[in-house]
Amino acid sequence: MTATGPCDAPGVVDVVALGESMVTFLPSRPGRLADVPSFDRGIGGAESNVVCALAAAGHPVRWVSRVGADGFGDHLVETVGSYGVDVTRVRRDPDRPTGVYFRTAGDRATDAHEVAYYRAGSAASAMSVDTVGLDAVRAGRVLHLTGITAALSAGCLGLLRALTAPAPGRPLVSFDVNHRPGLWADGNSPRVLLELARGADLVFVGEDEAAEVWGLDGVDAIRTAFPDPEVLVVKQGALGATVFDRGRVLHVPAPRVDVVAAVGAGDAFAAGFLSATLRGLPLRDRLRHGHLMAAAALTVPGDLAVPPARAHADRLAALDDGAWGRLRLGPGWTHPEDRADEEVRTP
């Protein structure tokens, strides 16, 4: 699969991502939301996370969304833009607020994790085919979408259906299932997410996610349920990831990682895989770059991390299977030149 698209259109970038980003309040210490006394402000949004990571890796990218005409909207646009992302197509809504959410410090996969969303009626929920500039959305080699947007409103779902529908000259459509159960009160997520994924060219889905949403057991069952995307990437956590590409099946294990915070890894993996796809790298290296970008996110406290320099990542991705299997990445590994005791170890 190669990333092609309307490359003669004005303002074409490598990747356009469309979706809601919110101001996120991160707890100052572990504990229940009811017990945490103070929070630090950050930003959170699957799609903006992906393009921020891609921009930091040297790709021209664009984020398309809507935010409120408020201070939180200012913060989002300025912060995402500071990564080098084109934010000129983010529209300001004078009548609807920017979404915010609070979360606990724990791993999202545990029962103790809490998230409190204040996004109902947000500016981004008003995205639709009538309120978003579709030319700017389609002016990329890759268009990256997630299932989160589909859950925000009927207008957002209609927009994603339009963007994943077959059309002459459309960009390569990348779709991360990104199931968020709390956003799907109507219970329609299995049907809607499957529909959207089948309209995409490249799909990312977690093995555990597929089991939760569709009751699918194992990577082969997932591929059977998703026969249409040319490329299907099944993320398997610490075990690695499996890619299906036109009859080819390849599993690449993840390196061992000294995890600081288990947030943002899925978005970072997508960014690494997309970056390597745009560069025309082979399947194995696309998965390895996904793992490396995920490891960068896992070894910092927040969702966003500075990726390794391209030459550094390429060197690690080119390791033979034995050296790759011995690789262990810890905090600071993306900047080995700053450390006397390099945290990239191949014992």
Side-chain angles (χ1 to χ4, degrees), residues 252-258 288 292 315-316 318-330 342-347:
V252 172
R256 288 174 291 169
V257 178
D258 298 330
R288 285 188 173 186
L292 291 169
R315 178 176 66 81
L316 295 179
L319 291 172
D320 62 47
D321 288 346
W324 178 263
R326 295 189 298 272
L327 189 62
R328 181 169 182 173
L329 305 174
E342 183 175 330
E343 290 288 347
V344 179
R345 302 188 293 277
T346 54

Side-chain angles (χ1 to χ4, degrees), residues 238-265:
L239 296 178
T242 299
V243 61
F244 296 83
D245 181 5
R246 291 172 296 186
R248 292 188 61 196
V249 184
L250 178 66
H251 175 81
V252 172
R256 288 174 291 169
V257 178
D258 298 330
V259 176
V260 172
V263 293

Side-chain angles (χ1 to χ4, degrees), residues 129-153:
V129 293
D130 298 318
T131 62
V132 170
L134 297 183
D135 289 344
V137 175
R138 293 181 171 129
R141 296 172 63 192
V142 175
L143 170 59
H144 183 69
L145 308 168
T146 81
I148 296 171
T149 305
L152 299 182
S153 67

Side-chain angles (χ1 to χ4, degrees), residues 201-264:
D201 304 298
L202 164 61
V203 170
F204 299 95
V205 63
E207 186 174 28
D208 55 349
E209 183 177 46
E212 177 186 16
V213 180
W214 297 286
L216 300 172
D217 183 15
V219 296
D220 291 332
I222 297 171
R223 183 52 165 171
T224 299
F226 292 84
D228 302 297
E230 182 178 335
V231 177
L232 172 67
V233 180
V234 181
K235 298 173 290 183
Q236 298 168 278
L239 296 178
T242 299
V243 61
F244 296 83
D245 181 5
R246 291 172 296 186
R248 292 188 61 196
V249 184
L250 178 66
H251 175 81
V252 172
R256 288 174 291 169
V257 178
D258 298 330
V259 176
V260 172
V263 293

